[in-house]
Amino acid sequence: MAPVNMTGAVVAAAALLMLTSYSFFFRLSEKKKRKEKLTMRNGLVDAIGNTPLIRINSLSEATGCEILGKCEFLNPGGSVKDRVAVKIIQEALESGKLFPGGIVTEGSAGSTAISLATVAPAYGCKCHVVIPDDAAIEKSQIIEALGASVERVRPVSITHKDHYVNIARRRADEANELASKRRLGSETNGIHQEKTNGCTVEEVKEPSLFSDSVTGGFFADQFENLANYRAHYEGTGPEIWHQTQGNIDAFVAAAGTGGTLAGVSRFLQDKNERVKCFLIDPPGSGLYNKVTRGVMYTREEAEGRRLKNPFDTITEGIGINRLTKNFLMAKLDGGFRGTDKEAVEMSRFLLKKDGLFVGSSSAMNCVGAVRVAQTLGPGHTIVTILCDSGMRHLSKFHDPKYLNLYGLSPTAIGLEFLGIK
């Protein structure tokens, strides 16, 4: 028998092994590159959104439902309002209402102002914030540290010309007027000259809050600007749907501007009309009665009591006594009333049981999630928003001395404050 020639077979086998190895490592390299491409984000703006959706274990186990929290406190600016800030500025730039070098103004109790101050520099803009002087001091400190200018004013009704929102609107007009005069060259060094009866009269004007180089102003108008709603319809809602793979029974959140509740509720119900969406409303707000009874009034007003603030509550940024354009976009199946004490107790419960250090609106949202679970019964998946962390609520909501002044010191051991033993 002739000897078998092994040379060709060995060469072929070696070549096949090399080709297979090369193909394997090539695919591995490409996979790694794709992964790196997916995980790398282009600057601060790209880092906003796609926040984790986590199971809140303590509440899920206590109710028999899957209670999930969207961790918006992990956005670069520390809150859900980062999404809104980006959308508002992007749309303003695209429409020509704002230019690089311009001033974005806003009246805000804190979170939206922080987000605008965070995001504006990424677009070559500056930020001016008008804030009520009873908001937690650390919020205005953060805004100033971010490079924005802060104007503190006393809290008054929205109908008053000096409500912080109305002042912010005027500041944008002032910036536009300044930019217009600079372009026309009619003003020099702050002194306006005009002819009166053949004589020149010099009128020294008050110094402007803004630099002469400002290219104009834009009032963000988070309450009425539907970019707020669109940020959540196009971003937060789809993310929740994707993260739950469409397996969601209910969504619940409080409302300030109403943008988050409106955008998410409408998107989820557009995807599946069986998804139930609910409001959780703090003390002093009229939205609960509007949603459940069709009448816009607060329990405090019905009892003949008038608070210093139309929505005077320890929770900041939620609760309101008017219907905004954003809130009117919401598709709701009902609402629940929460209390300040429930929000405080919930925040301490979440910290103790889950290690979640949340702010007042996040705590109120979790109160709402438990109320929804009690209404629907076990076996349902409920999503809410963890708007921001407790870091910007240290001087009030997380200050034992402050809480004690108002009889809000936490005393609960478990969830007995919500009727769960």
Side-chain angles (χ1 to χ4, degrees), residues 308 312 314 340 396 400-409:
K308 68 171 183 176
D312 188 16
I314 196 170
D340 282 346
K396 294 177 69 175
K401 291 181 181 178
Y402 181 88
L403 294 178
N404 188 53
L405 286 174
Y406 295 92
L408 295 173
S409 299

Side-chain angles (χ1 to χ4, degrees), residues 347-389:
S347 70
R348 274 51 173 188
F349 179 84
L350 292 173
L351 181 58
K352 181 171 61 177
K353 296 294 185 180
D354 300 274
L356 287 170
F357 183 48
V358 299
S360 57
S361 54
S362 301
M364 187 64 80
N365 283 349
C366 288
V367 169
V370 172
R371 291 299 189 203
V372 173
Q374 291 171 321
T375 301
L376 299 182
H380 293 89
T381 298
I382 301 159
V383 175
T384 193
I385 303 291
L386 302 180
C387 314
D388 64 2
S389 80

Side-chain angles (χ1 to χ4, degrees), residues 89-356:
I89 293 177
Q90 283 181 345
E91 290 193 4
L93 288 167
E94 290 168 0
S95 67
K97 295 178 181 177
L98 176 68
F99 299 93
I103 298 282
V104 180
T105 73
E106 183 59 295
S108 169
S111 289
T112 302
I114 292 172
S115 293
L116 286 168
T118 300
V119 169
Y123 292 97
C125 298
K126 296 182 180 180
C127 183
H128 178 80
V129 176
V130 186
I131 190 169
D133 61 14
D134 63 346
I137 188 63
E138 55 269 30
K139 291 186 178 181
S140 57
Q141 289 172 333
I142 292 169
I143 296 165
E144 288 178 326
L146 288 167
S149 53
V150 176
E151 188 176 350
R152 297 175 186 83
V153 299
R154 65 187 181 92
V156 293
S157 168
I158 186 66
T159 58
H160 195 288
K161 69 180 181 65
D162 289 331
H163 184 274
Y164 61 94
V165 170
N166 296 329
I167 293 176
R169 182 183 287 106
R170 290 204 299 273
R171 296 295 179 249
D173 291 340
E174 290 168 12
N176 281 323
E177 183 181 358
L178 181 65
S180 177
K181 285 183 177 180
R182 182 176 61 83
R183 285 193 296 269
L184 293 173
S186 62
E187 187 172 82
T188 305
N189 296 324
I191 299 177
H192 175 69
Q193 296 186 334
E194 59 182 19
K195 295 284 186 179
T196 304
N197 295 325
C199 299
T200 299
V201 178
E202 291 190 349
E203 177 190 347
V204 181
K205 303 186 72 176
E206 291 184 8
S208 172
L209 288 170
F210 309 118
S211 165
D212 287 344
S213 63
V214 68
T215 61
F218 176 77
F219 175 47
D221 198 12
Q222 60 169 326
F223 288 89
E224 306 301 331
N225 189 339
L226 289 179
N228 183 347
Y229 155 79
R230 288 189 286 273
H232 299 292
Y233 186 89
E234 298 171 10
T236 319
E239 286 175 29
I240 290 171
W241 182 260
H242 174 74
Q243 289 169 318
T244 59
Q245 298 180 327
N247 296 316
I248 174 174
D249 298 296
F251 174 76
V252 60
T257 64
T260 305
L261 185 62
V264 174
S265 67
R266 186 166 285 271
F267 178 85
L268 293 176
Q269 292 202 357
D270 283 352
K271 296 296 289 186
N272 184 348
E273 61 183 11
R274 291 193 296 273
V275 177
K276 302 295 183 183
C277 296
F278 300 94
L279 165 78
I280 176 72
D281 212 28
S285 173
L287 296 178
Y288 169 77
N289 285 315
K290 180 63 179 178
V291 170
T292 59
R293 303 179 186 179
V295 180
M296 190 75 173
Y297 75 94
T298 70
R299 182 168 52 198
E300 289 78 6
E301 289 172 335
E303 293 173 355
R305 290 184 293 154
R306 192 67 184 174
L307 304 177
K308 68 171 183 176
N309 197 329
F311 40 100
D312 188 16
T313 170
I314 196 170
T315 60
E316 292 185 352
I318 55 174
I320 195 171
N321 274 333
R322 67 183 191 276
L323 295 175
T324 67
K325 289 181 180 178
N326 283 287
F327 185 84
L328 288 171
M329 298 297 293
K331 296 177 72 173
L332 301 176
D333 296 281
F336 301 90
R337 172 75 76 189
T339 68
D340 282 346
K341 187 66 183 294
E342 288 170 349
V344 171
E345 295 284 13
M346 177 60 77
S347 70
R348 274 51 173 188
F349 179 84
L350 292 173
L351 181 58
K352 181 171 61 177
K353 296 294 185 180
D354 300 274
L356 287 170

